[in-house]
Each structure stands twice: as structure tokens, then as C-alpha cells.
Amino acid sequence: MVFKTIDDANQAVIDKIIQSAPFLLDVVPAKSVIPALEGQMLLHAGPPITWENMTDPMQGSCVGAVLFEGWAETEAEARELLSSGKIAFDPCHHHDAVGPMGGITSGNMPVVVVENKADGNRAYCTMNEGIGAVLRFGAYSEEVITRLTWMKDVLGPVLSQALQTLEEGLNINVLVAKAIAMGDEFHQRNIAASLAFYKEVGPIITTLPISEREKAEVSRFLADTDQFFLNIMMAASKAVMDGARQIQEGTVVTAMCRNGKDFGIRISGMGDQWFTGPVNTPQGLYFAGYTSDDANTDIGDSAITETFGVGGMAMIAAPAVTRFVGTGGFYDALNTSNEMSDICISQNPNFPVPTWDFRGICLGIDARLVVDKGITPVINTGIAHKKAGIGQIGAGTVRPPITCFEKAITAYAEKLGMAE
């Protein structure tokens, strides 16, 4: 497709995002939809990285995945295997997937399957484990492995059965529109969306031909896990943005992610190419007993939500979350969203925000505007302890280095023959 101007190309990308139709179809073992996971491979968050360069929490997540898969029986054996070169590593993004925090995904982990019916593409994400000692924050204790095994053997199959009763799947746009009016921004606050999801699947679960114990366990887990919808939102955002980047022209940001070492972005006009810069450490509030000295650098693919236009980009939608991430109060949230709209091309009419005078969420981060105005996107995030096994120690916000956007614009200018 040929466009007369960059603005025309960007508008075509924007139109695809508006017209997208993500539906949650199923929950399946990762290796059944990601062929590369049939062997000894682990997917990770962020742009490409090697085992040696991973921060301790991401390495801890890898240890947990190896123990979960049964490739090793002890931590020492797992670390020896991981450092041997016998296990392959690749970004989740290279396999139509995304992963929170460490993002570590292995073959037998259940993933949600989201299809963007407007463009026919699918995306995958592991399910949210809840809070406490969890794999995504680098924990790999017996408790973590037991929970992952239960999710594989019980939670995944039960949700799969429930979703199979829905002829078209679950319309995610409808859930997002409901929940944004109830105070969610879909990165740090997902309680309304998680409950809206449970409202849809809960009654179905009660009718399934499974044991009463399984019904009770799954219902309790979904009721207790306030952030359950985050992973669904991540897969939906990935499906939408991958559909939009089928138009490989323009300067719309189509992915943002981090691996603890590098922050990476993609833009529509440069396809699969990553543009990276040194990742920052989140700024925010810490749980009792922890300080910024304990914080790990930022990790995770969850910034795909900000790429879509929610999370930190939609701070005004969730004033209740602002103090949790250390950004003040209502007017600070308003100022943040107003600032974010300055680096976006438009606003998404599908998701009006009541607390923003029903303006739509930010739509289409333009790398040109980021560079021109010197304003980088705000990303809401959890803060992991820099030592594996401890887990989350706070929450805050982080911004990408502007060098990512500068590199992307320079490369696109060269592609168009506009570079000096």
C-alpha cells in the first residue's frame, strides 16, 4: 500500500486500531499454539537478551520454569542447565505472545488465546498467578511450582471448557468499555475488568461437568485475583497492535517492552526491528521495609497496554491508582493523561473516559511527537526486588529512554531516503 504522506500512513494504522475486534477464545498449553515451545525453549519479556545479561528476577523466573517443566529437579541443576546453552531463549514478541514482568513462558504453561477478528491474527499470554511469591517476579519456591501446576491441570482446562460454550468467544472491547467507566486503567488497576470477566464465566463454571472442588477452587481464585484481567488485556493489546502493524509504514509505536537491561520499541514503518536504549528503574512507592536501593530495573511486556493507550496513558481513568504508584492525586492523573495526549495522534472513540469529560483514551503514540516534544510515555508498573525469590516490593511509573524513539525515527527517515 502506497501513502502520499507519513500522516496518511499513520491514519491508516490508527483506523486499524479503532476497527480492531479482540475476542478471548480459549486457554491452552503454550506449546499447542507456539510451535517453538515443543523443545527446550523459554520465551522472555522485552527485546532479545541472553541468560548472562538477564537480571536476577528474570533468571529466577527461568529457574522456576525449568523446575515446573521437570527439566531439572533442583535449583542448582536448573541453573547449570540454563547456563549450558542447551536451552534456547527468545522474546515473547517474536512468537505472537507477551509476558508480564520476567515474561518467562514455557511449553506446558497455559496461555490465553485472543483473536483480533478484524485482521485474523492471534496473540497469547500466560495467566495471572495472583500476588505474593509468583514466577513473574522471579520466585521459584515449591509454592510457586505447585500453583503453576494447579493452573496447568485445573484452572486452564476449566476456563477452556467455559470459553468453549461461547460461540463467538468473549468480546474484550465490551469488557474494557465497561471497566474503564468503573475506574480501571488496565495496568495497575484491573479489579473492575477482572470482576466483569468473572461475571461472564462464573455462571458457566457452575454448569460444567467437573468436580465441586474444582468449581470452588477456580471460582475462589478468580474472585481473589484482582489483576487477573491484566494478562488478557496484554494479549488483546498485542493482537490489536500486531494487526495494526500489518501496515508497515508510518511512525506509530506498535510495541514497547523491557527486559531489565534494554527498553525496546517498534514502530509501524520499521516492521519487526527493535530500537533499544538502557532501561530505567521505576519511581514510586515501596512496601514496608523496602526502598529504592532494593529495586530491580524495569522488566516486562506489559507496556503493550500503554502502547494500546491504557495503563499510564489513561491515568485519568483510574484516579484511585495514582497514589498507589506514587503520582499524587486526581489532578496529577489529569495532567499525566493530558501530557500523554500531546504525543498521540488521536483518541479512541471506543473507550470514552468519564473522568476525562468522556474523551477517548489516547490513540497512536507518534514517535515523531515524542522526539519533537521531548515527552516520553508514562508506564505504570510493578517494582520487583533485585534479588530473585523475593517478588514485588512496590509499584510506580517508569519512562522509556528517548533514544529508542530517536533511533526509530532516524531509521525510518533513512528508509524513506530522507536522512541527511
Side-chain angles (χ1 to χ4, degrees):
M1 189 176 297
V2 178
F3 301 95
K4 292 183 178 180
T5 67
I6 293 174
D7 287 339
D8 287 344
N10 284 344
Q11 187 58 53
V13 177
I14 292 302
D15 289 344
K16 268 192 171 290
I17 297 172
I18 293 173
Q19 295 160 11
S20 64
F23 279 72
L24 176 61
L25 300 183
D26 206 348
V27 177
V28 300
K31 64 184 179 183
S32 70
V33 288
I34 303 174
L37 291 178
E38 287 285 356
Q40 285 195 335
M41 172 181 274
L42 296 178
L43 304 185
H44 62 76
I49 192 171
T50 61
W51 164 258
E52 293 77 14
N53 289 324
M54 291 179 182
T55 59
D56 209 42
M58 187 178 282
Q59 287 191 346
S61 294
C62 292
V63 170
V66 168
L67 295 174
F68 164 74
E69 291 291 341
W71 298 340
E73 295 185 359
T74 67
E75 177 187 347
E77 291 176 356
R79 289 185 178 275
E80 181 179 357
L81 179 62
L82 287 160
S83 61
S84 70
K86 295 179 181 177
I87 291 181
F89 297 97
D90 216 19
C92 292
H93 269 288
H94 291 187
H95 299 269
D96 303 320
V98 280
M101 299 307 293
I104 303 304
T105 304
S106 63
N108 286 300
M109 291 180 185
V111 294
V112 298
V113 179
V114 173
E115 180 175 302
N116 174 12
K117 294 192 176 184
D119 290 300
N121 63 298
R122 293 186 176 188
Y124 316 103
C125 186
T126 53
M127 290 192 292
N128 193 278
E129 305 159 79
I131 60 175
V134 290
L135 187 80
R136 67 182 183 274
F137 280 100
Y140 50 86
S141 65
E142 183 178 352
E143 172 192 355
V144 173
I145 307 307
T146 298
R147 184 191 298 112
L148 290 174
T149 301
W150 175 81
M151 293 174 74
K152 171 179 70 76
D153 294 339
V154 178
L155 181 62
V158 169
L159 289 180
S160 177
Q161 289 183 61
L163 290 168
Q164 292 306 306
T165 69
L166 303 173
E167 186 175 346
E168 297 293 327
L170 199 56
N171 189 326
I172 294 175
N173 279 352
V174 171
L175 294 182
V176 172
K178 286 181 180 179
I180 207 164
M182 299 166 70
D184 279 357
E185 43 74 64
F186 305 100
H187 198 157
Q188 279 298 331
R189 191 177 196 276
N190 281 277
I191 187 169
S194 297
L195 291 175
F197 170 76
Y198 184 42
K199 179 177 178 289
E200 296 294 329
V201 301
I204 299 172
I205 290 171
T206 65
T207 68
L208 296 177
I210 57 177
S211 70
E212 293 301 315
R213 177 184 60 81
E214 289 175 323
K215 292 178 184 178
E217 287 178 355
V218 170
S219 295
R220 174 51 55 193
F221 182 84
L222 294 177
D224 288 346
T225 309
D226 292 349
Q227 283 284 76
F228 189 82
F229 192 80
L230 169 59
N231 300 46
I232 298 172
M233 188 70 215
M234 287 175 60
S237 299
K238 169 69 171 169
V240 170
M241 299 312 298
D242 274 1
R245 74 190 191 96
Q246 291 176 12
I247 296 176
Q248 296 198 1
E249 296 294 342
T251 55
V252 176
V253 176
T254 56
M256 297 192 293
C257 58
R258 49 268 205 254
N259 60 26
K261 178 179 178 288
D262 298 313
F263 195 107
I265 73 165
R266 285 170 165 172
I267 65 170
S268 53
M270 295 304 296
D272 293 341
Q273 187 172 347
W274 290 107
F275 300 94
T276 63
V279 74
N280 294 317
T281 299
Q283 303 296 311
L285 298 180
Y286 291 86
F287 302 157
Y290 299 105
T291 70
S292 58
D293 291 337
D294 301 308
N296 195 69
T297 48
D298 202 32
I299 53 176
D301 288 332
S302 54
I304 193 67
T305 59
E306 277 82 8
T307 312
F308 175 71
V310 291
M313 306 293 290
M315 195 83 83
I316 188 57
V321 87
T322 55
R323 293 192 175 183
F324 179 62
V325 297
T327 56
F330 176 83
Y331 290 103
D332 297 286
L334 177 61
N335 291 337
T336 296
S337 289
N338 284 341
E339 182 186 42
M340 292 301 95
S341 67
D342 287 342
I343 57 172
C344 290
I345 295 168
S346 186
Q347 292 175 286
N348 196 324
N350 296 324
F351 309 110
V353 182
T355 46
W356 209 13
D357 198 23
F358 293 93
R359 295 168 64 186
I361 61 170
C362 291
L363 173 59
I365 300 170
D366 188 342
R368 295 177 304 174
L369 292 175
V370 172
V371 174
D372 181 57
K373 296 177 180 291
I375 299 171
T376 51
V378 172
I379 297 166
N380 287 346
T381 186
I383 304 175
H385 197 285
K386 60 186 178 184
K387 293 183 180 179
I390 296 176
Q392 185 175 6
I393 60 171
T397 60
V398 72
R399 290 181 186 249
I402 198 166
T403 183
C404 299
F405 302 88
E406 293 171 341
K407 289 178 180 178
I409 291 303
T410 299
Y412 190 51
E414 291 174 351
K415 174 183 173 179
L416 297 179
M418 298 168 60
E420 294 181 0

